[in-house]
Amino acid sequence: MKLSTKVTELTNIIAPAVAACDVALWGIEFAPQGNRSLLRIYIEALPEEQAQNKQVTIENCAAVNHQVSGILEVHDPISGEFILEVSSPGFDRAFFSDEQMHAYVGQTVSLRLIQAIGEGDKKRRKATGTLNSIDATSLKLTAIDGEQFEIALSNIDKANLIYEDT
């Protein structure tokens, strides 16, 4: 889940604007698409508001959109036209950093890996299962088929939470 240089640059520019709107920045996706790029910003309620079951509202998204638009106009970090989207990360949230996964130990995650794991014909580059633990260098996962894996965090290309209605 290494962030590109461009996403890191955009995060540094955008994070203060998001914080000024009293919400937390969950992550940023930037997809250059020729003359028109896509910048998607995910926000969530502040931890103290989450404790009170408060969620991100459309008003929060509109405020962040307005604030970030102004910042991007001043800094001009994206060449050409771009579409700006602001939303909550949703139930099946993508993880943008290893630290974000710590709060979801015991829940189901889906991983896309850089290098395959497993033995013989059971090698896989995708794994879905229960996140058992995570530390500074690796995570432990019990796959849906019961197989246990220890996966280096540096081997994770993409990770998502799998929503389970309990």
Side-chain angles (χ1 to χ4, degrees):
M1 293 182 297
K2 186 174 189 281
L3 299 178
S4 72
T5 304
K6 188 62 160 183
V7 169
T8 301
E9 174 192 2
L10 289 167
T11 300
N12 291 337
I13 293 169
I14 291 168
V18 172
C21 296
D22 293 326
V23 291
L25 177 63
W26 179 259
I28 294 175
E29 290 178 350
F30 177 68
Q33 301 169 344
N35 291 343
R36 178 176 257 168
S37 300
L38 173 64
L39 175 60
R40 187 173 291 132
I41 300 171
Y42 295 101
I43 60 172
E44 66 175 359
L46 296 171
E48 56 271 14
E49 291 180 350
Q50 289 178 17
Q52 300 170 12
N53 289 325
K54 292 186 179 177
Q55 304 292 321
V56 168
T57 65
I58 191 76
E59 290 79 13
N60 295 131
C61 293
V64 169
N65 189 306
H66 178 73
Q67 190 82 355
V68 168
S69 293
I71 293 293
L72 293 176
E73 211 166 290
V74 170
H75 289 274
D76 199 22
I78 301 171
S79 59
E81 294 181 26
F82 64 92
I83 297 168
L84 174 61
E85 293 181 2
V86 179
S87 73
S88 120
F91 291 121
D92 291 339
R93 59 188 53 214
F95 295 109
F96 292 90
S97 71
D98 307 333
E99 295 81 30
Q100 291 174 328
M101 291 195 287
H102 287 271
Y104 296 92
V105 170
Q107 296 190 39
T108 304
V109 296
S110 173
L111 306 174
R112 185 174 68 203
L113 306 174
I114 297 167
Q115 295 181 340
I117 56 170
E119 301 294 323
D121 62 343
K122 285 189 143 188
K123 282 193 163 197
R124 56 177 100 179
R125 284 197 54 218
K126 293 182 179 178
T128 299
T130 302
L131 177 61
N132 297 320
S133 66
I134 183 169
D135 62 30
T137 60
S138 66
L139 61 78
K140 292 184 180 172
L141 180 90
T142 302
I144 293 173
D145 62 7
E147 196 168 355
Q148 304 269 334
F149 294 101
E150 182 167 354
I151 302 168
L153 297 177
S154 61
N155 191 28
I156 299 173
D157 182 40
K158 186 175 182 184
N160 286 74
L161 180 68
I162 302 296
Y163 175 71
E164 295 175 339
D165 190 14
T166 54

